[in-house]
Every structure is written in structure tokens, then in C-alpha cells.
Amino acid sequence: MRNIVILISGGGSNMAAIVRAAEREHWARRFDARVAAVISNKADAGGLALAQAQGIATAVVAHQDYPNREAFDAALADAIDAHAPALVVLAGFMRILTPGFVARYEGRLLNIHPSLLPAFPGLHTHRRAIEAGCKVAGLTVHQVTVDLDHGPILAQAVVPILSDDTPETLSARVLAQEHRVYPQAIASWLSETN
Ligand code: GRF
């Protein structure tokens, strides 16, 4: 069985959507894959309880317990590798990763970013897209490389920006599409690497 490890920092709604898709679409039978663990850098991440309720192993590697990024990433890699992952999925994981960490999981490390990359890498994407006068926003699923929010693109979806949108209303509509597209992109990755 190929193990998927999901990294989160917050609510974990993307993680929950992936777990639901794995069940509904029988990833175990079709792709020999399962969500084996959910790991958070924050002990209070709401997604941890969601994962536990599904019987998924969870762990916390708290970044403030480590003196620098290298030490944190080494501890995080240990927690991940305990599950011998075929795929590591960043789902609202709000830490910048070191080049060594990215190299360790090269080709099997995915991220979702709430903009149409290469537009608006980094934070506050929805506010920046509205302020720039964009007519569309969206999301991107991509391979993670050392360049933040710049790896090869696996999937995108476009979401219109409405004239009365706020960052919050736009974010909610983009998030709904994230929940649809991220599981699809992961299923495609699993199918292509099977
Ligand atoms: C998502 O919009 C993700 O793209 C962004 O952070 C949000 C995480 O939401 N980077 P959740 O934790 O999956 O609910």
C-alpha cells in the first residue's frame, strides 16, 4: 500500500476533502494508496481532530520547539518518514521549507496555492487579486520545488471575481474549488505513478 502523508497548519478542510475522496473513490483498490497520516506544525490545528475522527494517525511537530528551519525540517522529515510515504501533500501548510527538505521528497511533494500561479505567489492572494483589478482568481496544484509557489503545475481552476467581492467572499468560493480540484489532481498523480 502506498502511503500519503498530509501536512496541515489549520482547519484542514482540504485534507478532509482528500480523505473523503480517497474513501468515495476507493483509492486503496484503484491506486493502492491511502491517507496514512496527518501532521501539523500547530498543536491546535482543527484538522487534527477531523483526522483522528477518521481513524488516521496524527502527529504534531511544533516549529517553535526548534532553533531554526533546518532543525524543524529534520524533525518534520522524521515524523513523515515514519510512515514511509509515497506522496507528501501540503494542504494549508504555512511553513517555508528548506531546500534539503524539498530535495528529499522531490517529485512526490504537492502543494495547493489559492491563486492562478505564477500570479500572486505568497500570502494575501485574494486581497492582492481584487486590488489589482483582476476579473478572475483561482487555484493551482503544483509540484513543490525550492522556488516558493513555483513548481510544475498539475492542475488549475478559475473562479470569477465579482464586483462586490471581498477577500473573504472570494476566498470561500476559491476554497470550494480547492476541495474539488486537489483530490482530482492527487488521484491523477496516483494513477500516473501506479
Ligand atoms: C487554503 O486556501 C490553501 O490553499 C491555503 O490555505 C487554505 C487552507 O485551508 N494555502 P484548509 O486548512 O485546507 O481548510
Side-chain angles (χ1 to χ4, degrees), residues 10-15 91-92 94 112-114 175 178:
S13 68
N14 277 291
M15 176 275 296
M94 304 304 282
I112 190 161
H113 182 77
L175 191 61
E178 293 182 43

